[in-house]
Amino acid sequence: MRIASGGVEVAPIAGLVGVDPSTGIGAEHAFDRKMREEDGTLSFVRDARGNPLWVRREHWTPGSDGSPVRLSIDLQLQRIAKQELLRGVEDADAVGGRLVMVDAASGEILAMVDVVREVEGLEPFDWAPKGQPAGEQAYDPEAGKRYVTLLDDPGRERHPALARNRCIEDIYEPGSTFKSFVWSVLTAEGAAEPNEVFDTEGGKWRTSYGRRIEDVTRRDKMSWAEVLVNSSNIGMVKAAERFTAPQLRDVIDRFGFSRPTRVGLAGEAHGIATPLSRWNKYTHTSVPFGHEIAVTPMQMVRAFSVYTRDGDLAGTLPRLTLLAADKGAPSRRVVERILPSDIAVITRRILADVATKMEAHMARVDPSETGWRYRIFGKSGTAEIPLTPAPEGMRRPAGSRGYFENQYNSSFVAGGPLEAPRLSIIVVIDDPGPVKVRNKDHYGSKVAGPVVRRVLERSLAYLGVPPSPVEPPESVVVYAGRR
């Protein structure tokens, strides 16, 4: 008998296994062989008529029960995560949301939530029939339509345990959350220093080949540290020009975005990145701010844990697992060094200023969103949603850029507490509503950041983590000129 406690909260993670184990899904399928019982055997001597006469002791082998499997999911953290994610999805009028939380030191996955919300007025995309002259059906980005952006998931309608696990199966463009990885590697390789000043062109700039690059926060100049805090596309592109194509492509591979996390669940996506054979100058100015790359939330939270791991583990990549560690068992910590530990700590402290800006916005919107007990650090990202594959016999209409116009994946990845990190978390809000977009309130810092903030505050308190000290940490400026 198999018993998975937690009910609907963990149904998509636990999954199901039917009569044929090959048709299963989730942890039930992943660990089926370990949990499956084995039949015993019995052989005996018979007479000429087939009647049993006796059984020798050595001819009897008793059956065995399957081994129990204890998942690392903490039911209370799972409930906290789901409550706050549902609230965030509703507040944003979004079609869905995804969340993954891990213990950065052990790599244990503590919460994994995927919610989908019914939204009225969604329309199928206006695909054009193949063979139709291009001019007969042109795409109109100003039509004001809100298209269906999520892949079909018939299993979700049948049973919660049969739903697609979009935290590991569905990829998205990370946008500016990817900047921290490029920033830290450029810093580690000596291509830029935190206090180096960049000309950020007042927020509008054209590359040498004529591509227009703009910043949301428009400044004439920014230090390298401010480039990350203010999420400057211009500063990131200018610094990335100091890297060769293989060096910049290595950032993707180094942080594990070109390989699955191998948590043991079926259907995990590998992610997508432009190969060097197709790398061009446009790619070189896209990757620094998280375009021409697609990742899963699970990959993102694993990569960000490089900053969340502390002590001698700072700068190393954890091996994620869905299995809870046995008490007294040897540590499963695996050290795959990605960055020098001091660079990981520098990046973490700069990302704390990003979180502070997000919290200031929360307080302006709702004055009750103040008085946080824990300091956190993180990075927001906002990117348009790529079109889903065209149906058979159809193609993209003329004028389409390959994206759903004005429809976004908005995310925030974070860790905390700042002074002694314990948890890493990623939240992706799928397709915030049109009103949010019109009011420019659809950004990751405005729709995903508050969810991250509330989940971390409640989760760290539940785990008994002491509140952050009143005095702020030492400024990162002291690290300038470290070489």
Side-chain angles (χ1 to χ4, degrees):
M1 178 182 293
R2 298 178 183 178
I3 300 176
S5 61
V8 71
E9 301 291 347
V10 296
I13 304 171
L16 288 174
V17 170
V19 176
D20 178 6
S22 66
T23 63
I25 192 171
E28 281 272 9
H29 173 63
F31 306 112
D32 178 72
R33 180 172 296 180
K34 183 175 182 179
M35 294 185 290
R36 185 172 292 278
E37 66 278 0
E38 294 186 5
D39 295 333
T41 60
L42 173 65
S43 59
F44 51 87
V45 177
R46 298 181 297 180
D47 62 18
R49 296 181 179 180
N51 298 316
L53 296 178
W54 62 80
V55 177
R56 295 184 182 277
R57 183 184 300 274
E58 62 269 22
H59 293 167
W60 156 246
T61 303
S64 61
D65 295 330
S67 300
V69 169
R70 190 162 59 94
L71 299 184
S72 57
I73 299 295
D74 185 300
L75 290 179
Q76 183 58 25
L77 294 179
Q78 182 79 0
R79 292 184 183 109
I80 290 171
K82 187 169 184 178
Q83 288 170 6
E84 295 296 350
L85 184 60
L86 285 170
R87 174 183 170 184
V89 169
E90 289 283 348
D91 288 347
D93 185 27
V95 300
R98 291 169 274 176
L99 181 154
V100 182
M101 182 198 305
V102 306
D103 181 315
S106 68
E108 292 170 288
I109 300 168
L110 303 178
M112 181 164 44
V113 185
D114 171 17
V115 301
V116 173
R117 173 173 171 265
E118 290 290 335
V119 175
E120 295 184 359
L122 297 182
E123 300 185 31
F125 187 71
D126 298 321
W127 301 102
K130 287 183 177 179
Q132 183 186 65
E136 289 190 12
Q137 184 174 342
Y139 178 65
D140 181 9
E142 305 300 325
K145 295 181 179 180
R146 189 179 185 185
Y147 294 110
V148 176
T149 57
L150 300 188
L151 297 173
D152 289 338
D153 189 2
R156 188 181 297 265
E157 299 176 3
R158 292 168 53 199
H159 191 282
L162 297 177
R164 290 173 56 83
N165 188 336
R166 299 188 306 122
C167 294
I168 65 167
E169 295 186 49
D170 288 10
I171 56 178
Y172 70 103
E173 279 196 359
S176 293
T177 54
F178 192 73
K179 289 175 181 173
S180 73
F181 309 117
V182 177
W183 190 97
S184 61
V185 175
L186 282 164
T187 306
E189 298 298 328
E193 292 280 356
N195 65 345
E196 180 183 353
V197 176
F198 282 76
D199 183 355
T200 47
E201 312 284 350
K204 294 183 179 182
W205 175 63
R206 287 191 182 275
T207 65
S208 59
Y209 62 90
R211 182 180 182 181
R212 185 182 181 90
I213 307 291
E214 294 191 14
D215 286 342
V216 174
T217 301
R218 297 182 176 181
R219 304 274 177 83
D220 291 333
K221 298 182 182 299
M222 295 186 199
S223 70
W224 182 228
E226 290 171 331
V227 165
L228 183 56
V229 172
N230 295 320
S231 202
S232 169
N233 295 330
I234 296 171
M236 291 301 303
V237 170
K238 285 190 172 185
E241 288 180 334
R242 301 172 182 180
F243 263 9
T244 63
Q247 284 178 307
L248 189 54
R249 180 60 172 74
D250 178 64
V251 176
I252 300 171
D253 296 335
R254 183 185 297 205
F255 282 90
F257 290 115
S258 55
R259 64 182 189 269
T261 63
R262 303 194 187 282
V263 295
L265 299 179
E268 184 176 9
H270 287 245
I272 299 175
T274 302
L276 278 175
S277 60
R278 292 167 47 201
W279 199 277
N280 55 38
K281 58 188 178 183
Y282 196 91
T283 304
H284 208 83
T285 55
S286 294
V287 169
F289 50 87
H291 288 236
E292 289 201 39
I293 176 175
V295 305
T296 66
M298 189 68 74
Q299 288 177 314
M300 179 58 71
V301 78
R302 175 181 64 176
F304 195 82
S305 294
V306 166
Y307 311 129
T308 309
R309 304 188 104 186
D310 208 15
D312 62 346
L313 290 178
T316 64
L317 196 68
R319 177 178 293 172
L320 301 187
T321 178
L322 256 178
L323 297 179
D326 294 327
K327 292 183 179 180
S331 173
R332 294 182 304 196
R333 298 188 303 180
V334 176
V335 177
E336 180 184 349
R337 183 152 298 279
I338 307 302
L339 296 169
S341 58
D342 62 334
I343 294 296
V345 173
I346 289 172
T347 309
R348 178 200 306 167
R349 292 183 177 179
I350 293 175
L351 291 171
D353 288 340
V354 179
T356 299
K357 290 179 64 176
M358 178 266 293
E359 292 163 354
H361 170 75
M362 290 178 67
R364 286 193 298 271
V365 174
D366 183 354
S368 68
E369 300 274 31
T370 56
W372 307 112
R373 290 168 291 180
Y374 302 97
R375 289 195 185 94
I376 67 171
F377 52 96
K379 187 71 187 76
S380 61
T382 311
E384 285 183 308
I385 303 173
L387 293 179
T388 52
E392 186 176 354
M394 307 296 281
R395 60 168 175 79
R396 272 182 10 195
S400 168
R401 300 184 301 113
Y403 291 87
F404 294 99
E405 298 284 346
N406 296 318
Q407 292 182 259
Y408 300 85
N409 285 318
S410 304
S411 60
F412 201 96
V413 61
L418 173 63
E419 61 283 350
R422 178 78 178 270
L423 301 176
S424 296
I425 181 174
I426 172 75
V427 168
V428 181
I429 301 296
D430 303 291
D431 189 16
V435 174
K436 289 287 185 183
V437 175
R438 282 197 300 271
N439 294 338
K440 299 189 182 301
D441 285 334
H442 64 287
Y443 295 109
S445 60
K446 296 184 177 182
V447 294
V451 179
V452 165
R453 204 342 151 188
R454 291 191 292 265
V455 171
L456 280 178
E457 186 75 5
R458 293 178 61 186
S459 298
L460 291 170
Y462 161 74
L463 292 171
V465 177
S468 296
V470 175
E471 291 298 320
E474 185 179 18
S475 172
V476 73
V477 176
V478 301
Y479 291 93
R482 56 183 287 271
R483 278 164 290 279

